[in-house]
Amino acid sequence: TQLLEQSPQFLSIQEGENLTVYCNSSSVFSSLQWYRQEPGEGPVLLVTVVTGGEVKKLKRLTFQFGDARKDSSLHITAAQPGDTGLYLCLRGSNTGKLIFGQGTTLQVKP
Amino acid sequence: DAGVTQSPTHLIKTRGQQVTLRCSPISGHKSVSWYQQVLGQGPQFIFQYYEKEERGRGNFPDRFSARQFPNYSSELNVNALLLGDSALYLCASSSLLAGELFFGEGSRLTVL
């Protein structure tokens, strides 16, 4: 059972455009992590959000955790070719099961 | 400092064979988790071990098994390989049960 719904699954945009990736769940989660994976490498952590309504910024990336802690979004401003990759959300859990979303493949064309 | 290391990086097996994948966590990390990833999709959780005990299991058949050793390294075993087992197998380590995951570069398994 997929507990995290990520959208869109694929995004192809031109350099300089803005985009938003969404991660949704039907149940509350204690925390959420966003990772980025480049071809041939393992995912790398971008940010962890814990508090409902929390907003974190990482240069041109803005991460938001929904007030009800059932959803999160990643917004990229003025995308660059270096942002190309697979973006993944991961649901925090103390039960031992670590659930990723399906992933969003982002392609930024120069 | 060495990151998470996995071996082998690539391997080819035939249907029905068995495979063992190995993972060495970052020094000091006591948690290791395993994932199966097909191209363009998110990793699917297989197992998590913490302090040498299984702490979580994903929806994979009993052909998949794992263990963690006293030095916190880990092995993932897959028996009776099927074509559908072809994938990238990722290992991640973390210092806490629910902390940041540090991934290796994976073992790419091809089943013919």
Side-chain angles (χ1 to χ4, degrees), chain A residues 45-92:
Chain A
L45 180 69
L46 295 173
V47 78
T48 300
V49 286
V50 178
T51 306
E54 184 176 7
V55 176
K56 284 190 174 180
K57 292 192 175 184
L58 186 66
K59 296 182 181 179
R60 294 176 293 100
L61 279 60
T62 302
F63 303 85
Q64 186 161 5
F65 201 13
D67 290 339
R69 302 198 344 259
K70 291 184 178 182
D71 58 273
S72 180
S73 64
L74 157 60
H75 182 79
I76 301 179
T77 303
Q80 299 177 2
D83 295 326
T84 293
L86 178 66
Y87 288 82
L88 300 158
C89 57
L90 172 67
R91 175 193 178 116

Side-chain angles (χ1 to χ4, degrees), chain A residues 1-2 33 35 37 40 42-43 45 86 88 90 93-98 100-102 105, chain B residues 33 35 37 40-45 48 55-57 59 90 98-101 103-105:
Chain A
T1 302
Q2 182 59 260
Q33 296 177 336
Y35 288 79
Q37 184 177 20
L45 180 69
L86 178 66
L88 300 158
L90 172 67
S93 171
N94 291 322
T95 65
K97 290 192 175 183
L98 298 165
F100 277 95
Q102 305 101 315
T105 298
Chain B
S33 51
Y35 304 83
Q37 186 178 32
Q41 296 184 21
Q44 296 292 309
F45 172 73
Q48 179 171 233
R55 293 302 187 102
R57 174 186 287 252
N59 295 326
L90 291 166
E100 175 182 357
L101 300 177
F103 285 86
E105 293 187 346

Side-chain angles (χ1 to χ4, degrees), chain B residues 8-112:
Chain B
T9 55
H10 295 82
L11 67 166
I12 300 173
K13 294 284 188 177
T14 56
R15 282 179 298 173
Q17 286 189 313
Q18 174 264 345
V19 68
T20 298
L21 308 177
R22 296 176 176 83
C23 174
S24 293
I26 290 173
S27 178
H29 284 191
K30 299 180 179 180
S31 176
V32 169
S33 51
W34 287 95
Y35 304 83
Q36 180 193 68
Q37 186 178 32
V38 297
L39 190 63
Q41 296 184 21
Q44 296 292 309
F45 172 73
I46 309 176
F47 288 107
Q48 179 171 233
Y49 279 79
Y50 182 75
E51 285 281 19
K52 292 156 281 183
E53 290 188 4
E54 183 184 302
R55 293 302 187 102
R57 174 186 287 252
N59 295 326
F60 280 81
D62 292 343
R63 300 184 295 107
F64 289 76
S65 63
R67 55 181 174 169
Q68 187 176 33
F69 298 100
N71 66 353
Y72 302 108
S73 67
S74 179
E75 285 182 354
L76 174 69
N77 296 286
V78 186
N79 294 322
L81 285 166
L82 303 174
L83 297 179
D85 295 330
S86 296
L88 179 68
Y89 288 84
L90 291 166
C91 170
S93 76
S94 62
S95 57
L96 303 172
L97 190 59
E100 175 182 357
L101 300 177
F102 294 84
F103 285 86
E105 293 187 346
S107 294
R108 183 161 297 282
L109 171 65
T110 301
V111 182
L112 302 176

